[in-house]
Amino acid sequence: MDYYIVIPAHNEEQYISYTLDSILKQSLRPKKVVLVNDNSTDKTEEIIENYISKHNFITKLNTISSKEHMPGSKVINAFNKGLELLDNSYDFIVKLDADIILPENYFETIAYIFKTNPKVGIAGGFAYEETKDGKWLLNHPMNKDHVRGAFKAYSKTCFKAINGLKNAMGWDTVDELLAQYHGFEIYTKDQLQVKHLRPTGGAYNKKAKLLQGKAMRTLRYGFWITIIASLKMALKQKKSATFFHNLEGYRNAKKEKVPFLVSKEEGDFIRKLRWQNIKRKLF
């Protein structure tokens, strides 16, 4: 199977070589890799150029966006610009971060999943982060049927059906919800252990604290699902402030009449799916 990789990169000189080396070691190599150098001010571009000079399937696009590292909009804006350099001759497409190390059989396994089960629309492994004593431990903030945004693979049919990725906070939730709305399944595989070199959200701007609640509003969660989801997040993070930040973000989005990311019909499906998942866990 043929696949493309798009990697948004902003000031990743510390990590990007590890990511690219892990791609070069893949048992099934990509047809093309597009590195989107997004306003980097360090040696990121220099490192990218070094790889491009040695490997003709790696290419680069320079783009300029905000210097603030805001979740969602910045990274997907860069991803979408990289996407413009690619054609439709692929079986699946990958949005990859520039701070991860993939196991050598990662994409061979992903290809097998898509090839053997056409119902799968999104597939991936699980993120592991290094502790202070050098151990790699699973860090997964959501359900086991969620693929982290740092390494998401989409079948071509699914990617087209969901109309690509939304340029907003919550993009890596809405993609899975819309995939299910269109009849696709999310597939995760425990054996695919991805090393995530930067702690989750470690580089995000402090202004991002209200965006999660805003995302819940734009996904048409409704008040009660937002309450439950925010409580779960606060308990997971062991930060009571998360709950109140989410509610503030939700209220602000409602007050400001921020446009929804999904249609009314999609919102109805999303709420129904969320309630089903909540009831299943409770009972």
Side-chain angles (χ1 to χ4, degrees):
M1 297 185 81
D2 291 330
Y3 69 99
Y4 293 143
I5 300 176
V6 180
I7 306 176
H10 171 72
N11 288 347
E12 297 286 2
E13 66 176 6
Q14 186 176 351
Y15 308 111
I16 196 168
S17 292
Y18 294 103
T19 300
L20 292 174
D21 286 343
S22 75
I23 291 174
L24 294 175
K25 293 176 183 176
Q26 289 299 302
S27 53
L28 177 65
R29 278 195 178 183
K31 186 177 178 181
K32 195 168 187 177
V33 176
V34 178
L35 287 147
V36 183
N37 177 37
D38 187 13
N39 211 39
S40 294
T41 55
D42 61 1
K43 294 182 180 180
T44 295
E45 184 176 8
E46 181 181 327
I47 295 170
I48 292 172
E49 289 287 359
N50 182 49
Y51 281 87
I52 290 174
S53 68
K54 300 174 183 177
H55 306 283
N56 59 12
F57 67 95
I58 300 177
T59 188
K60 177 198 70 175
L61 172 67
N62 284 332
T63 185
I64 297 175
S65 67
S66 168
K67 294 181 180 180
E68 294 182 340
H69 193 172
M70 299 292 284
S73 58
K74 181 178 174 67
V75 67
I76 298 305
N77 183 52
F79 173 85
N80 287 335
K81 287 182 179 179
L83 203 62
E84 293 176 2
L85 301 185
L86 300 172
D87 56 29
N88 287 313
S89 300
Y90 66 90
D91 297 295
F92 64 95
I93 194 159
V94 182
K95 181 269 171 195
L96 203 63
D97 280 3
D99 59 356
I100 61 175
I101 300 175
L102 301 160
E104 293 182 8
N105 68 332
Y106 190 86
F107 289 119
E108 182 181 6
T109 305
I110 294 296
Y112 179 80
I113 291 168
F114 284 134
K115 187 174 182 179
T116 56
N117 191 346
K119 289 185 177 180
V120 174
I122 301 175
F126 290 95
Y128 285 71
E129 294 180 357
E130 191 173 17
T131 62
K132 292 181 179 180
D133 56 358
K135 295 179 181 179
W136 289 90
L137 299 179
L138 176 67
N139 186 320
H140 200 74
M142 299 182 71
N143 302 326
K144 279 296 188 81
D145 57 358
H146 170 68
V147 180
R148 289 276 289 271
F151 42 86
K152 304 200 84 159
Y154 305 83
S155 71
K156 182 178 180 178
T157 52
C158 177
F159 193 74
K160 299 295 184 182
I162 67 175
N163 197 27
L165 306 184
K166 305 294 184 183
N167 191 345
M169 174 69 168
W171 70 267
D172 62 337
T173 297
V174 70
D175 61 346
E176 295 183 355
L177 294 171
L178 291 179
Q180 292 172 87
Y181 174 79
H182 287 284
F184 293 97
E185 297 175 1
I186 316 300
Y187 191 102
T188 57
K189 194 169 182 66
D190 291 328
Q191 290 80 4
L192 293 178
Q193 299 183 6
V194 179
K195 292 181 178 179
H196 194 195
L197 302 176
R198 181 193 288 116
T200 304
Y204 285 158
N205 188 285
K206 291 181 179 180
K207 295 178 183 178
K209 65 183 181 181
L210 302 183
L211 294 184
Q212 192 70 54
K214 175 184 176 181
M216 293 177 183
R217 167 66 181 176
T218 59
L219 289 175
R220 297 183 185 266
Y221 274 17
F223 181 71
W224 289 110
I225 293 178
T226 298
I227 288 284
I228 295 169
S230 298
L231 280 171
K232 180 181 176 182
M233 283 184 62
L235 290 171
K236 180 74 176 180
Q237 298 176 6
K238 297 180 180 179
K239 294 180 181 178
S240 58
T242 296
F243 175 76
F244 297 102
H245 288 154
N246 283 4
L247 292 190
E248 184 180 351
Y250 182 91
R251 286 195 301 266
N252 289 349
K254 184 176 181 179
K255 182 179 179 181
E256 296 166 9
K257 296 182 179 180
V258 175
F260 292 110
L261 284 177
V262 297
S263 68
K264 184 180 183 302
E265 292 75 20
E266 291 167 341
D268 291 342
F269 173 85
I270 288 170
R271 285 193 303 278
K272 182 178 179 181
L273 185 65
R274 283 298 197 210
W275 280 121
Q276 287 175 348
N277 291 337
I278 290 168
K279 290 175 182 177
R280 186 180 72 246
K281 290 173 184 177
L282 290 176
F283 305 106

